[in-house]
Amino acid sequence: MRLKVRPGRAGLAVLLATVVVLAFVGLLVATHGAATDEPLAQGDASGHYREPAGRGRETDQAMRSAVRPPATPSARPSVPQAADREDRAGRTDPLPASKPLAARGVAPSPAIGPLFYTGQGDPGHGCTASVVHSPTADLLVTAAHCVHQNGFHTDIAFVPGYHDGVAPYGVWVPTSIDIDPEWISDRDEDHDVAFLHVRQVGSATPIERVTGAERIAFRPPTPRPARVLGYPSDSETPLGCQNATRMYSATQLRFDCEGLPSGTSGSPVLTDVDQTTGLGTVNGVLGGKDEGGDDETSYSSYFGDGVRALYERATK
């Protein structure tokens, strides 16, 4: 089990937090509960929620105190577009296992960023998400527990490529969220996946044209060399780790690596990473069993037919 300060995974340090601190923060009901005063909304019976435009503008406004744009336009790196990417024989990163098998600081990736939550005082990030290719070029994937705990979080903002308080590709807010109704009914760990359509307030350009996008794969084979990249809730830069994915069960993917703490829930499990762009194929997102795992082993709901159906529903 992992205790969570915001909607995300928790490491050993959080487990040792004092009762006084937890009572002051007042964020949890049981191990994985949501704050009672957190802004929440109910979607429809299918697991779909549409964010009012005004709520997105409020979230964007709140984020202005938390992040800043690059110092100059030239400080924002250019990114190859998903439509321009083709498989390049011999140019795929072999993704050797990390030595030691522990997460370490890595450079940000344009299509991956933290999810901030603005509804409880100063904005802070507590999960990770990534841009995935879709017909509308505006889709993210993350863990369901990052966006729905007793209701849909209405105060979410995504900051791709985030580092040290800088939002190099801007702030993006949801227009809609899709999860499986089985997650709503009983927090089924086999359905801990969510898709979000996002927009940038004041712009009509879809996010995929700005950051590029990961591909997405269903029924992925295992074992498979993979990379996980995510944002701890107490860090301004990402952590990364590489190892082979394995099946924990017919419905759960396993990724062994130490040191992926609170905040890395929703991080993409990437295979077939292009050495030039750093973009790969999402085979899972950290979550699933125990809503993420422990300090040594992480999990993901398996991207089988159920997740495929959810993706197809979200992209209709």
Side-chain angles (χ1 to χ4, degrees):
M1 282 288 182
R2 295 196 176 187
L3 196 65
K4 293 191 286 295
V5 175
R6 287 183 182 269
R9 297 151 51 95
L12 183 60
V14 177
L15 293 174
L16 298 176
T18 66
V19 173
V20 173
V21 172
L22 291 177
F24 174 76
V25 177
L27 293 180
L28 298 178
V29 177
T31 301
H32 295 293
T36 56
D37 60 343
E38 196 161 357
L40 301 172
Q42 301 304 312
D44 63 30
S46 72
H48 177 78
Y49 167 68
R50 181 163 292 280
E51 178 102 324
R55 190 69 188 89
R57 288 193 294 271
E58 292 174 5
T59 300
D60 178 74
Q61 183 68 34
M63 285 296 293
R64 296 185 184 185
S65 66
V67 299
R68 62 187 185 277
T72 63
S74 61
R76 174 168 150 174
S78 60
V79 179
Q81 303 306 315
D84 298 332
R85 295 168 53 217
E86 297 179 356
D87 290 330
R88 301 176 178 90
R91 299 187 65 179
T92 299
D93 193 321
L95 302 177
S98 299
K99 294 182 179 180
L101 198 55
R104 61 179 179 82
V106 294
S109 178
I112 301 171
L115 292 177
F116 280 78
Y117 302 86
T118 65
Q120 295 179 299
D122 293 335
H125 56 90
C127 273
T128 302
S130 54
V131 185
V132 289
H133 180 58
S134 69
T136 50
D138 64 350
L139 196 68
L140 310 181
V141 65
T142 189
H145 75 260
C146 292
V147 301
H148 187 283
Q149 295 187 12
N150 303 320
F152 286 94
H153 294 282
T154 65
D155 61 338
I156 294 172
F158 176 62
V159 186
Y162 176 78
H163 65 90
D164 305 303
V166 176
Y169 306 100
V171 172
W172 302 76
V173 296
T175 59
S176 66
I177 304 173
D178 284 277
I179 61 177
D180 195 290
E182 292 191 52
W183 175 262
I184 296 175
S185 63
D186 61 2
R187 299 176 72 85
D188 188 331
E189 64 186 18
D190 294 336
H191 298 277
D192 194 5
V193 180
F195 292 99
L196 295 73
H197 288 275
V198 295
R199 67 184 177 99
Q200 191 170 34
V201 174
S203 173
T205 303
I207 191 169
E208 193 170 323
R209 304 288 181 255
V210 177
T211 64
E214 317 288 358
R215 296 182 177 92
I216 189 167
F218 304 103
R219 301 185 67 84
T222 59
R224 195 81 178 274
R227 172 184 297 164
V228 168
L229 189 152
Y231 285 80
S233 56
D234 61 354
S235 176
E236 297 297 279
T237 54
L239 293 176
C241 191
Q242 296 180 178
N243 197 10
T245 57
R246 305 186 190 285
M247 296 303 297
Y248 173 77
S249 68
T251 56
Q252 294 284 318
L253 196 68
R254 172 174 179 158
F255 183 84
D256 292 311
C257 177
E258 292 183 3
L260 289 167
S262 175
T264 58
S265 276
S267 298
V269 180
L270 297 173
T271 63
D272 304 310
V273 175
D274 187 294
Q275 288 184 329
T276 302
T277 66
L279 298 171
T281 299
V282 179
N283 284 242
V285 293
L286 298 194
K289 176 177 164 58
D290 298 335
E291 296 184 12
D294 54 38
D295 194 54
E296 295 181 353
T297 301
S298 300
Y299 300 94
S300 167
S301 303
Y302 184 66
F303 276 24
D305 294 340
V307 177
R308 181 196 294 271
L310 181 63
Y311 172 83
E312 291 174 350
R313 189 188 84 194
T315 53
K316 284 184 179 178

